[in-house]
Amino acid sequence: PLTGGNGPRGPRTGGGRAAGPDTDHWRHWWYANRAFLLVDGTRVATHASRTGEERLPADTLWRADVRRALSETLADDDDEVVAAAVLALGKGGDAPATPVVMGVALDGRRGQASRESAAMALGLLAAETRDDADQARDTLQRLAADEELAPRFRAIAVYALGLRRDEAAVPFLANVARSGGRMADVPVAGVSALGLSGSLDIRQELERLLSSAGKGRDTMRRVYAAHGLAKLGDPASLPALISALGDEEKEVRRAAVLAIGAVAGEPHAEAVGMLERVLRDDDDRTVRATAAIALGLVAAPESVAALRKAYDRDDATVRPFAAVGLGVVARRRGDPKVAAGLLRDLKRGTRIELLGATCVAVGLAGLEEAAPALREIVSESKNADVVAQAAVSLGLIGDRANAPELLRQVLRESNDPMLRGEVALALGMLGDARTLVELDDLVQEGGSEHERITGLIALGRIGGPESASLLTGVLRDAKRSDLERHMAGNALGMLLDQSEGRAIGRVAADLDWHALTPTVFEILSEF
């Protein structure tokens, strides 16, 4: 997601950061948070079973076949293929998969990739019985406490504990959050996981961590304490977060701003006033940028003027954030004046670094009148990022009459995996199942492995039983390359994930993207 995401990748290399856009770029926030802003239903609808087999809906039948294919794949010799399959089982959320997934996580003969994926999968699986829940918790705590394991593996286990929202894990997570060590990954994962756990009893502990002074890793711990408060979502934490807006460290101010946007809910007068001051006066442009997003999320009508001023006059870093902030306000308040202003800007044309954000803004605002301008951008722009944002916005506004044919053309002609993935997402939102025929041809007869892989990811983005059949066929095909089978597993995970990315997405949503640990970067780029 940080680079347009879910395109072809090779085997993991141990957590180093991949090259990508400038860390000040607005897309970092957008890709990590958009799952929580988009409407439900970004996959094509499934249909009733034509065969009537056992009178089960087609949705139940194809999901069962996908689970069988994934379970069979756990015996594969390639660790990356197994990693994709076991994570997909976790995304499916089916409790009966828990014992098998635990077995992969604990199997020291397996590679790190499959064991990490199994640990994350345990954070997503439901528990049928109390015993299942206890075993999953015990497994993750055992992995997180094992200092012989790589820090990233341990941190992933910690995040998975938080995602399970198991009250019995909170004391363990609190100890992890207070721990020391050479690497920040594990303790800061513990801090965020406390918030992910949903236990309101730990709010004061997170506030204490946020206010603690120190250098080095303590700054990261404070940043992640703000993130923990954001995930906890308790408005009682607003005074502590507002106080942190005056902190001397910009990292802490950014984190507090983002947390306020997540926690405030209904407009909170003091929080709105402080965010407007930060947007206007903070001497760091990245802090001002996060304030624009937070004001959009709080959606106070009195903030529109401040956001509009930042959109028109601030520097090139802040303006795209202000555009998206205005789009979020228009979406949440149904404000026609804000929406009309964004449409005027889109039609008037704007600088390339602002155009993609403005496309997203009109999409969030649901402006059907923007469809012709967005289609023109898709047809004529030479910038793949801008075309991708315009395509997704056509999906957001529901341009079903005219957009699918144009987007299918882009899907056929582009060799850019990021663009193909985003166009497929848009076609999924538009419910365009016709694309599957073309993708089938691409996957079966694509001229290169790269083209076939981008087709596999597009199938995962679009979803539906036809996609499932094509993807399981690739996963089971021993003649396919390991990389193709790995990406087919990844695509099946997207297809099975009924949360459409929201479950795992909670790990990075509302987190300052300048402060990503190697673990969070791995979760964003691989999971």
Side-chain angles (χ1 to χ4, degrees):
L2 293 178
T3 56
N6 294 320
R9 290 179 299 274
R12 301 176 217 195
T13 58
R17 295 194 181 199
D22 179 0
T23 54
D24 291 347
H25 202 286
W26 66 276
R27 290 197 305 272
H28 281 281
W29 177 85
W30 171 241
Y31 285 120
N33 291 270
R34 68 178 181 178
F36 301 92
L37 294 173
L38 304 185
V39 295
D40 291 338
T42 59
R43 304 288 187 269
V44 294
T46 55
H47 305 286
S49 172
R50 297 192 183 110
T51 65
E53 180 181 348
E54 298 179 12
R55 297 180 178 269
L56 291 173
D59 187 65
T60 300
L61 295 173
W62 69 255
R63 283 179 178 274
D65 186 55
V66 169
R67 288 194 298 271
R68 281 193 295 271
L70 293 170
S71 297
E72 293 163 4
T73 304
L74 298 184
D76 199 86
D77 292 334
D78 187 87
D79 196 57
E80 291 286 342
V81 173
V82 174
V86 75
L87 183 64
L89 283 171
K91 288 181 176 180
D94 298 299
T98 300
V100 174
V101 173
M102 279 194 297
V104 175
L106 291 170
D107 188 350
R109 296 167 297 178
R110 293 183 180 269
Q112 184 174 333
S114 59
R115 296 185 70 195
E116 285 179 346
S117 293
M120 180 55 70
L122 284 175
L124 305 174
L125 288 167
E128 280 189 317
T129 67
R130 183 71 256 174
D131 187 55
D132 286 342
D134 291 344
Q135 288 188 43
R137 182 182 67 251
D138 290 346
T139 296
L140 290 170
Q141 290 183 172
R142 175 178 166 185
L143 295 171
D146 187 349
E147 295 186 0
E148 296 297 316
L149 297 176
R152 190 180 73 189
F153 187 3
R154 296 174 60 205
I156 286 172
V158 171
Y159 281 116
L161 278 168
L163 289 173
R164 290 189 68 82
R165 299 178 70 84
D166 185 343
E167 190 76 26
V170 169
F172 177 86
L173 292 174
N175 286 332
V176 172
R178 301 184 195 108
S179 66
R182 292 187 304 105
M183 304 273 299
D185 283 52
V186 176
V188 302
V191 177
S192 280
L194 283 172
L196 290 167
S197 74
S199 174
L200 295 179
D201 293 338
I202 51 83
R203 174 177 61 82
Q204 291 182 337
E205 173 69 5
L206 289 171
E207 291 176 357
R208 184 191 67 76
L209 290 169
L210 173 63
S211 64
S212 62
K215 296 181 180 180
R217 196 184 68 241
D218 282 343
T219 297
M220 286 286 281
R221 209 183 309 237
R222 296 175 69 205
V223 166
Y224 279 73
H227 181 241
L229 290 169
K231 295 296 92 185
L232 194 61
D234 186 351
S237 65
L238 280 172
L241 291 167
I242 290 170
S243 177
L245 295 180
D247 199 272
E248 63 181 17
E249 296 186 77
K250 64 183 179 182
E251 295 86 356
V252 175
R253 298 201 302 278
R254 280 197 306 258
V257 164
L258 290 166
I260 290 171
V263 169
E266 290 299 315
H268 180 282
E270 184 181 3
V272 169
M274 289 294 290
L275 289 174
E276 289 179 350
R277 181 186 64 76
V278 171
L279 177 60
R280 182 183 65 244
D281 298 334
D282 200 282
D283 60 6
D284 185 86
R285 64 184 183 179
T286 64
V287 178
R288 297 199 305 276
T290 55
I293 290 295
L295 283 169
L297 293 170
V298 176
E302 59 268 28
S303 297
V304 170
L307 284 168
R308 187 71 217 190
K309 183 177 179 180
Y311 177 75
D312 290 334
R313 302 179 189 177
D314 214 314
D315 73 11
T317 294
V318 179
R319 293 179 69 198
F321 285 91
V324 177
L326 286 166
V328 175
V329 171
R331 183 180 188 83
R332 294 196 165 181
R333 300 196 66 83
D335 192 320
K337 290 183 178 179
V338 176
L342 291 167
L343 179 57
R344 183 178 63 250
D345 295 325
L346 185 69
K347 289 181 175 179
R348 186 171 56 192
T350 186
R351 298 175 65 178
I352 196 70
E353 64 267 20
L354 187 56
L355 183 56
T358 305
C359 288
V360 166
V362 298
L364 289 171
L367 279 173
E368 295 181 10
E369 302 93 326
L374 291 168
R375 292 197 300 270
E376 183 177 351
I377 290 169
V378 171
S379 298
E380 299 184 4
S381 178
K382 304 301 182 185
N383 185 293
D385 286 322
V386 171
V387 174
Q389 310 309 338
V392 169
S393 293
L394 286 168
L396 283 168
I397 64 178
D399 185 28
R400 292 177 176 81
N402 299 298
E405 183 176 353
L406 173 63
L407 295 179
R408 287 196 298 271
Q409 180 181 347
V410 176
L411 202 62
R412 284 193 300 270
E413 297 177 356
S414 174
N415 289 321
D416 186 316
M418 177 278 297
L419 179 54
R420 270 184 166 164
E422 295 299 281
V423 168
L425 175 64
L427 286 165
M429 285 192 279
L430 294 170
D432 185 66
R434 286 182 56 191
T435 308
L436 296 172
V437 176
E438 297 185 16
L439 287 173
D440 185 17
D441 291 340
L442 178 65
V443 168
Q444 302 300 341
E445 303 174 11
S448 68
E449 183 180 59
H450 177 85
E451 289 178 296
R452 294 192 294 274
I453 286 169
T454 58
L456 292 169
I457 292 302
L459 285 169
R461 281 284 177 89
I462 289 177
E466 292 85 0
S467 291
S469 177
L470 295 171
L471 290 168
T472 52
V474 173
L475 185 66
R476 285 170 160 151
D477 187 352
K479 295 180 181 179
R480 295 277 187 161
S481 71
D482 289 338
L483 183 56
E484 286 179 83
R485 296 176 62 233
H486 167 69
M487 297 311 293
N490 281 349
L492 286 167
M494 297 178 202
L495 189 148
L496 283 178
D497 187 356
Q498 297 189 63
S499 78
E500 298 189 2
R502 294 175 183 85
I504 288 181
R506 294 176 63 225
V507 169
D510 307 308
L511 176 63
D512 178 14
W513 56 98
H514 298 81
L516 300 186
T517 64
T519 300
V520 178
F521 188 86
E522 179 77 5
I523 291 169
L524 278 170
S525 60
E526 291 288 344
F527 294 164

